[in-house]
Amino acid sequence: MIEKGNLLRKMTLTCMFTAITTLTSSFFFIPVGFAKIFPIQHVTNVMTAVILGPFFAVIQAFLVSLIRNMAGTGSIFAFPGSMIGALFAALLYKKMKKIQYACFGEVVGTGILGSITCYPIALVILGEKAALFGFLPAFFLSSLMGSLFAFLILKILLKNHYFNEVLHKNTTKDQRI
């Protein structure tokens, strides 16, 4: 089990990532069809996957999607895309311990699987006509760009010895919740 101090730290970081992502996503988005592309969400998914692990990465993705929907700046398609991407990014990073695998997990999770899960949402919940792979180009491009940005940011941060130690500590213990 995660010790109390580490749990509080991870919860605090999750809230900080959620707040920063929610605010910046409102300013930087690309509308495509009846979906909005938020590359900032993908940056955050990869970063929380690497820094905090699967549980907190998915929580962060859910909270950002919820807040953006409540504020009217997001769409219902943010839920499956961001949450699946965050989960895949975190699981691949946890297994392989390499940032590029977290980025790959985000692209596959959001760009491919998340986009496919939006099809039944568009059809059943929204009553919109959509193609099965209609969301794929936008989701794939958005997650690819966000993952590339996250890769660069994390590589820069890893040059800092303190951050490198914190990251190593987070990935070698206290991953269960």
Side-chain angles (χ1 to χ4, degrees):
M1 198 66 171
I2 297 178
E3 62 189 53
K4 204 178 246 184
N6 200 24
L7 177 62
L8 183 60
R9 186 180 65 76
K10 286 186 173 198
M11 288 171 58
T12 303
L13 285 171
T14 302
C15 290
M16 288 174 55
F17 275 119
T18 299
I20 291 168
T21 304
T22 302
L23 290 172
T24 56
S25 291
S26 298
F27 298 114
F28 187 72
F29 68 90
I30 305 163
V32 176
F34 48 91
K36 292 178 184 173
I37 296 174
F38 293 88
I40 302 298
Q41 178 66 60
H42 309 294
V43 172
T44 308
N45 282 355
V46 173
M47 291 184 68
T48 55
V50 169
I51 296 168
L52 301 172
F55 179 79
F56 292 100
V58 173
I59 293 296
Q60 170 276 137
F62 173 77
L63 289 173
V64 171
S65 298
L66 181 66
I67 294 168
R68 281 187 8 218
N69 272 275
M70 289 171 58
T73 61
S75 74
I76 195 167
F77 306 118
F79 287 100
S82 64
M83 293 170 65
I84 294 169
L87 179 63
F88 271 58
L91 292 176
L92 280 177
Y93 181 77
K94 187 175 180 180
K95 177 125 177 98
M96 303 301 215
K97 303 285 191 257
K98 293 194 183 282
I99 295 170
Q100 56 264 36
Y101 286 104
C103 295
F104 178 74
E106 173 64 21
V107 172
V108 170
T110 298
I112 299 171
L113 299 175
S115 67
I116 292 170
T117 60
C118 288
Y119 172 73
I121 293 172
L123 226 58
V124 177
I125 296 175
L126 298 179
E128 297 281 340
K129 291 185 179 182
L132 177 59
F133 297 104
F135 294 96
L136 191 98
F139 278 47
F140 187 82
L141 182 61
S142 180
S143 62
L144 181 64
M145 296 308 296
S147 293
L148 289 173
F149 290 139
F151 180 81
L152 293 173
I153 292 167
L154 286 167
K155 283 296 187 182
I156 291 168
L157 287 174
L158 283 173
K159 291 185 180 198
N160 180 315
H161 294 293
Y162 175 75
F163 181 78
N164 204 350
E165 287 177 25
V166 169
L167 182 61
H168 178 70
K169 184 176 110 180
N170 281 342
T171 59
T172 56
K173 68 175 193 173
D174 293 339
Q175 284 295 321
R176 292 177 292 140
I177 182 128

